[in-house]
């Protein structure tokens, strides 16, 4: 199980840097897909993926804090460090499993968006620019 957890954590690292963007893009795409083409489970799957990502980020922050705190202490043994990693990976298992089993929804949503008449592909739209205001009392 330790090896499985470690390999699963490492496999997710390829997705982790863009996971938030993937979720945001899928959420926007989902809002613009014809209702008849939307699978009812997709909204739930996106919520599960977001919750799992939050837990994974929390676990990683905790592990990083512990690692940094240990630098101020006498060096820890290799065994203690491996135990710390194994504990993080074990706690992450459920969230990693969620990404492995529910992550397909991101691809499914994107595939339907590709077929949409307006081809909803882009990332989250940028906020509208605010109008430029001139300082009071000055006329241009």
């Amino acid at each position: 199980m330790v090896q499985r957890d470690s390999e699963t954590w490492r496999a997710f690292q390829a997705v982790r840097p863009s996971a938030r963007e993937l979720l945001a893009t899928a959420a926007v795409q989902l809002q613009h897909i014809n209702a008849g083409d939307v699978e009812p489970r997709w909204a739930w799957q996106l919520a599960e993926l977001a919750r799992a990502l939050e837990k994974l980020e929390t676990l990683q922050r905790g592990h990083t804090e512990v690692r940094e705190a240990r630098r101020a202490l006498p060096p820890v043994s290799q065994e203690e460090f491996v135990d710390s990693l194994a504990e993080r990976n074990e706690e992450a298992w459920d969230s990693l499993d969620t990404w492995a089993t529910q992550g397909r929804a991101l691809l499914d949503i994107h595939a339907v968006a590709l077929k949409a008449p307006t081809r909803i592909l882009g990332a989250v739209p940028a906020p509208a620019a605010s109008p430029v205001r001139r300082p009071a009392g000055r006329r241009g």
Side-chain angles (χ1 to χ4, degrees):
M1 289 170 79
V2 171
Q3 183 176 354
R4 174 205 68 183
D5 295 348
S6 176
E7 289 172 0
T8 306
W9 180 271
R10 270 186 265 128
F12 184 70
Q13 296 316 297
V15 175
R16 191 173 61 84
S18 58
R20 286 233 172 265
E21 186 176 346
L22 290 168
L23 288 169
T25 299
V28 168
Q29 289 174 328
L30 191 57
Q31 292 174 6
H32 293 92
I33 294 172
N34 181 349
D37 294 330
V38 173
E39 292 289 334
R41 71 180 185 280
W42 287 345
W44 173 83
Q45 287 173 304
L46 291 180
E48 288 295 303
L49 291 168
R51 192 174 74 230
L53 183 59
E54 285 292 327
K55 182 175 179 184
L56 292 168
E57 289 172 340
T58 298
L59 288 169
Q60 181 57 38
R61 277 192 304 275
H63 177 70
T64 300
E65 290 170 7
V66 167
R67 191 178 65 223
E68 293 299 320
R70 287 182 175 172
R71 287 186 178 172
L73 301 172
V76 298
S77 70
Q78 181 67 20
E79 184 178 311
E80 286 176 300
F81 182 73
V82 169
D83 287 347
S84 173
L85 284 175
E87 182 179 332
R88 178 207 58 197
N89 296 346
E90 180 182 0
E91 289 180 35
W93 170 250
D94 287 339
S95 297
L96 294 169
D97 186 55
T98 296
W99 271 84
T101 58
Q102 305 302 327
R104 177 76 193 180
L106 297 170
L107 299 174
D108 294 342
I109 292 167
H110 186 70
V112 171
L114 284 172
K115 296 175 187 174
T118 58
R119 291 186 54 124
I120 308 152
L121 301 177
V124 177
S130 60
V132 176
R133 294 186 176 203
R134 296 180 190 203
R138 296 187 75 187
R139 304 250 182 224

